[in-house]
Amino acid sequence: MQLKRADVVTGALTLLDTDGLDGLTMRKLGALLGVQAGGIYWHFTNKDALLDAMADRIVEAVTATPLTEGPWDARLAEVAHRLRRALLTHRDGARVVAGTYVLEPNTVRGGEQAMRILTDAGFPADRAGWVLFATMYYVLGHTIEEQAQQAQGDWAQRGSGLPDSELSRALDSVVRADPEERFAYGLDLLLDGVRLRFPGGRS
Amino acid sequence: MQLKRADVVTGALTLLDTDGLDGLTMRKLGALLGVQAGGIYWHFTNKDALLDAMADRIVEAVTATPLTEGPWDARLAEVAHRLRRALLTHRDGARVVAGTYVLEPNTVRGGEQAMRILTDAGFPADRAGWVLFATMYYVLGHTIEEQAQQAQGDWAQRGSGLPDSELSRALDSVVRADPEERFAYGLDLLLDGVRLRFPGGRS
DNA sequence: ACCTGAACACCGTTCAAGT
DNA sequence: ACCTGAACACCGTTCAAGT
């Protein structure tokens, strides 16, 4: 049975879950697929191209089902939540996606979808682009940190090493919070700003 | 003349500027410092510890001079702008700082400073922590992307490879904008959200 | 205390050659 | 078309031994 491009991506995501992004090597992936490391290069020109394909696979779930109807801000929030969930599906998923400025199918589809939410609501295209990217920075940053905490529990300890101070309480509040609640809070800060600038005023 | 810890950091930042984060290797750094690669390990336990120290050095400028007096939101914006400027001072500076969850002196000082701005304004400590982290995600995400564009001009082209669509216009608006203006815009979206939740109401 | 020399156990990538 | 085998040019890190 021959190896297909999609099989390589699937295997790579399996390896990602067990060994993490830093443990993902072409040799280990070859072993997992029953192939020499060099053989992978027939399917992908290099490791970065494989990572791009992995990122696009991770992001597939975001556009898999149609969005619920509703006001633009609720729809944009849903996209953000879907993206977070998709990133959390695989170990280091956020880092994988953040590291690739891809224009592969699912990534493009998701971007189009989000842009249309804003432009349909009357936002000019250029400002909509700025809003979209700002939102992406937040989602990726938040989720990268979430997964960093998951990986190494030492995150919580580091704060305790600090003398009792403003910052140590900030770390505490971040570490101890329900991640989803904290995510929604920060997203809402941003969306408030957008709502204020929305041509139709507050929604 | 013997090598001091600070000299290693300075050399590493020089190498960072010329070779980028991916080109920063212990062997090249050794050569630059006139030392074997292994010799560096007397000063730093490993490469990550060195990267932490580099991050803290990069971030030094943020707290170097006192903030201008004024309302809390203007002060927080100034911190964000200072951080962006500091990150832009060195090639891949944003990636270096984003990759390290450090509690080194300057990082702590900066965190304390930002937290105090919020708590002095009456924000409860836990929400202030959430706001602080959300802001950091935005600043780092924005600046990482800024530096990625600087590095490889192909970013602009990728958009042109796309068929004319909502997303291609989004990419255009991002690539062609004045980075500082776009940064300020997104930061203001977030600060608007914070202002709405500020105990004292809009400032 | 501070560094050398040399090794260990890896990497990503290439490419003739096989089937 | 799809992959093997083997090499090339690197990595980070360790550690006895030197000064």
Side-chain angles (χ1 to χ4, degrees), chain A residues 2 5 12 58 74 112 114-115 118 146-147 174 182 188 196:
Chain A
Q2 245 158 234
R5 228 169 168 278
I58 289 173
E112 293 283 354
M115 276 298 285
L118 287 164
E146 252 185 273
Q147 292 187 315
V174 166
R182 183 165 70 91
D188 222 41
L196 283 178

Side-chain angles (χ1 to χ4, degrees), chain A residues 101 112 158 165 192 197, chain B residues 101 112 158 165 192 197:
Chain A
Y101 307 87
E112 293 283 354
R158 291 220 204 179
S165 61
D192 275 333
R197 282 161 180 79
Chain B
Y101 307 88
E112 293 283 353
R158 292 220 202 179
S165 62
D192 275 333
R197 282 161 180 79

Side-chain angles (χ1 to χ4, degrees), chain A residues 48 100 108 111 192 194:
Chain A
D48 274 343
T100 61
V108 169
D192 275 333
V194 185

Side-chain angles (χ1 to χ4, degrees), chain A:
Chain A
M1 241 269 301
Q2 245 158 234
L3 217 51
K4 300 192 90 68
R5 228 169 168 278
D7 302 327
V8 179
V9 175
T10 304
L13 287 173
T14 305
L15 188 58
L16 181 68
D17 286 331
T18 58
D19 292 39
L21 181 55
D22 296 330
L24 175 69
T25 74
M26 300 301 269
R27 282 161 217 265
K28 283 201 238 170
L29 179 54
L32 185 87
L33 297 170
V35 145
Q36 291 292 114
I40 300 169
Y41 288 78
W42 195 90
H43 300 279
F44 292 92
T45 51
N46 55 31
K47 193 181 180 179
D48 274 343
L50 173 57
L51 284 165
D52 286 353
M54 291 168 67
D56 201 57
R57 174 76 67 80
I58 289 173
V59 133
E60 194 177 6
V62 176
T63 49
T65 59
L67 285 179
T68 53
E69 291 300 324
W72 66 269
D73 52 348
R75 287 163 65 81
L76 195 61
E78 187 179 342
V79 172
H81 274 98
R82 281 188 184 195
L83 177 56
R84 170 171 171 273
R85 286 243 66 82
L87 299 177
L88 291 176
T89 301
H90 287 97
R91 163 124 89 122
D92 292 336
R95 272 172 72 203
V96 170
V97 170
T100 61
Y101 307 87
V102 210
L103 293 179
E104 308 232 3
N106 294 317
T107 313
V108 169
R109 188 174 11 254
E112 293 283 354
Q113 185 184 59
M115 276 298 285
R116 221 156 9 224
I117 291 172
L118 287 164
T119 51
D120 284 357
F123 242 73
D126 59 332
R127 294 301 151 138
W130 292 14
V131 168
L132 176 61
F133 272 74
T135 309
M136 290 290 289
Y137 301 149
Y138 173 71
V139 176
L140 288 169
H142 184 98
T143 315
I144 287 174
E145 202 137 295
E146 252 185 273
Q147 292 187 315
Q149 275 187 252
Q150 277 175 239
Q152 20 158 320
D154 83 355
W155 230 80
Q157 297 174 335
R158 291 220 204 179
S160 61
L162 218 63
D164 189 54
S165 61
E166 299 280 5
L167 185 58
S168 72
R169 261 168 293 169
L171 287 172
D172 260 34
S173 75
V174 166
V175 171
R176 299 224 304 257
D178 171 40
E180 172 128 28
E181 192 190 347
R182 183 165 70 91
F183 176 77
Y185 180 85
L187 181 63
D188 222 41
L189 291 180
L190 228 157
L191 289 183
D192 275 333
V194 185
R195 281 187 276 260
L196 283 178
R197 282 161 180 79
F198 178 55
R202 293 285 273 104
S203 73

